[in-house]
Amino acid sequence: MKVYVSPLGFDTSHVLSLIVKYGIEAGDGIIMLMSDTRDERADSAFTSVTEMVRTIDAGIAIRRVNLDHRDFSGMVLACIEAIKGTLHDTPGASIIVNLSGGPREILVALTIASLSHAPKIAQFTSYSDVSRQLSEIDLPYLTSPLRDRELAVLKDIQDFGPTSISDVAQRLQISESSASRYCARLLSDRLIDQTAQGKSKCASVRPSAAVVLSICKKA
């Protein structure tokens, strides 16, 4: 089960590109974030997407969320509620958030809202108006503060990764069990990826790691 969350303005390409890439079927859903300012072109775009989706299956849930572009904080909260509502109403669904298209104010609000729920979102995408291609992006996740040891492990993986956890432990002169525990925290915060390498695990950093390490870097 998939639920798409995307801004929608006058151009339907940003939303339709999601359907082309990932498909859509009964039980899936689309949440379109739009300005509450009535506009015939925006209404036409919503109708176009709705009619196209209905031809695929009438059981696909379609929801329009109207946002007040004059209330930025309200837009952020509304976007958060749209994501949280999906997590609550359709547990286990893969949420795909499109960070492109629609009014700029809504796009910025959705991006900020997505940062707060990045670990629970299956995929982020962005549709280029230049290349007309949909790309998958790895949105940095701003985690809660890390302890010094966790930061040291993260920095080591950034410097030497992909690397085994045993090598991390050896370089930092800590036990392998401690290194594994720190890596488990970093993995849960989506700062690193882990892959099997024989009987051991190999760690590599995700884009969020560079953001976190930059924030925590001492002047």
Side-chain angles (χ1 to χ4, degrees), residues 13 29 44 60 66 95 99 101 114 124 131 164 177 193 216 219:
S13 301
S44 177
I60 297 170
N66 292 319
I95 302 177
L99 297 176
S114 297
F124 293 98
S131 66
S164 68
S177 61
D193 285 323
C216 297

Side-chain angles (χ1 to χ4, degrees), residues 103-160:
R104 184 177 303 171
E105 301 95 323
I106 293 177
L107 178 58
V108 174
L110 177 59
T111 302
I112 293 174
S114 297
L115 284 169
S116 68
H117 284 73
K120 298 179 180 179
I121 296 172
Q123 185 62 61
F124 293 98
T125 65
S126 179
Y127 183 83
S128 171
D129 291 323
V130 177
S131 66
R132 310 298 287 180
Q133 296 290 323
L134 184 73
S135 301
E136 295 182 342
I137 59 177
D138 197 341
L139 188 70
Y141 169 51
L142 304 183
T143 180
S144 55
L146 299 175
R147 296 191 294 267
D148 288 344
R149 278 296 190 182
E150 292 164 340
L151 285 170
V153 169
L154 183 61
K155 182 66 167 59
D156 184 85
I157 297 172
Q158 181 188 56
D159 292 342
F160 297 98

Side-chain angles (χ1 to χ4, degrees), residues 188-199:
S188 68
D189 283 344
R190 294 183 65 176
L191 294 172
I192 65 170
D193 285 323
Q194 283 187 359
T195 56
Q197 191 177 64
K199 295 183 178 179

